[in-house]
Amino acid sequence: MPGPKLRLQGVAKEFTAPRTPKRTLAVTGVDLSVETGEFVCVVGPSGCGKSTVLNMIAGLDMPSAGTIEINGVPVRGPGADRGVMFQDYALFPWLTVEENIGFGLRNGTPGDGLSRGEVEARVREHVELVRLAGSEAKYPHQLSGGMRQRVALARLLANGPEVLLMDEPLGALDAQTRLILQTELLRIWGETAPRDARKTAVFITHDIEEAVFLADRVVVMSRHPGRVRAVIPVDLARPRDEHIRATPRFGQLAEEIWGLIRTEAYEAIA
Ligand SMILES: Nc1ncnc2c1ncn2[C@@H]1O[C@H](COP(=O)(O)OP(=O)(O)OP(=O)(O)O)[C@@H](O)[C@H]1O
Ligand SMILES: [Mg+2]
C-alpha cells in the first residue's frame, strides 16, 4: 500500500534572533500525515506556528528536528511538486492576468517538456477554470481582491503541483467574496472528482467555519510552543454547498474546534 502523500514526523523549528542568544521554539513534535487527495485545514491561535509549518513543507525553511516527506522523499527545498499561495496576492503587477497565470509554465520547470501550443492550452484552461475569461489582458491593479486571488490560484494550479499549500489565501477578502471563493475552491480542488484525482491540500485559516466547510480533517494547533493539539475529522458529505453551514452537524464541529482554541485565542490577543 502506498504511503501518505505528505508526512511530518517529530518536526520542530527553533528560530535564533540575529546577534543574540535568544531562541524561540516556534513548533515542536509535529506529527501529521496527509493522504493523496485529502484537504486538511490548520487552525490555531495567532503565533502557534501555522505559517512556520507550511513554510517548512514548502521547503522555504528547514526543520530544526524531525522529517518532512513528500511521497516518502525528504523535502530539501522548494520544488514543482508543491505550490504555495499566500494571503497577499503576490501577483506580478507588471504582468497581465494571462501572463501571471502562465509565468511558471513559460519561465520555470513546470513548463519543461511542453510545446508552446500545450503551454497556451494549459493557460487558457486555467483562465476558464477560475472564470476569468474576458479579463486575460487586465493588470492586477484593475482587478478586485477576489479576482486577484483567483489569478493566484490559477497560477498555482497551472504549474501542476501535487500538493497545494495555502496560507490564509482568502484572509484579505470581504466576507461575501470569501464565502463564494470557498465554494469555488472546492470545485477547483476537484470535490466531485474521485479522491485520487484530487489535489492534496494544506490550508491555513483563522476562520473556523471556513476550515469546517473546506476540510476532510481540521488540525488544531496550540501555542508556546506550537504543537498539534487535536485532529478533528469532518464527517460532512461532499460535494458541499452553502446550505451545509446551516446544519446542526456543521455547528457542532465549529463549536468543538472553537472550544479547543478559545482560551489560547483570548490569550494571544491579550
Ligand atoms: N523568521 C523568524 N524568526 C524568528 N521567529 C520567527 C520567525 N518566523 C516566525 N517566528 C516566530 O515563530 C512563532 C510562530 O510564528 P508563525 O508565523 O508560524 O505563527 P502563525 O500561527 O502563522 O501566526 P498567525 O496566525 O499570526 O499568522 C512566533 O512566535 C513567531 O514570532
Ligand atoms: Mg501565519
Side-chain angles (χ1 to χ4, degrees), residues 45-52 55 87 167-168 204 206:
S46 190
C48 71
K50 302 180 293 297
S51 298
T52 299
N55 290 341
Q87 175 171 352
D167 193 346
E168 301 192 48
I204 295 177
H206 274 110

Side-chain angles (χ1 to χ4, degrees), residues 91-168:
L91 300 176
F92 303 112
W94 60 89
L95 297 180
T96 64
V97 165
E98 199 271 348
E99 289 163 345
N100 264 287
I101 293 174
F103 187 85
L105 290 170
R106 291 178 184 133
N107 302 285
T109 48
D112 288 356
L114 296 181
S115 70
R116 249 181 99 158
E118 284 166 337
V119 168
E120 297 319 308
R122 177 105 66 104
V123 174
R124 181 80 232 147
E125 178 198 329
H126 285 85
V127 167
E128 280 165 16
L129 183 68
V130 297
R131 304 190 208 268
L132 280 173
S135 298
E136 297 89 332
K138 291 189 175 149
Y139 287 89
H141 75 270
Q142 298 173 299
L143 305 175
S144 68
M147 290 166 89
R148 285 186 222 169
Q149 282 309 63
R150 283 169 198 264
V151 177
L153 185 60
R155 184 177 59 184
L156 172 76
L157 293 166
N159 294 336
E162 297 169 38
V163 181
L164 310 179
L165 303 171
M166 295 174 277
D167 193 346
E168 301 192 48

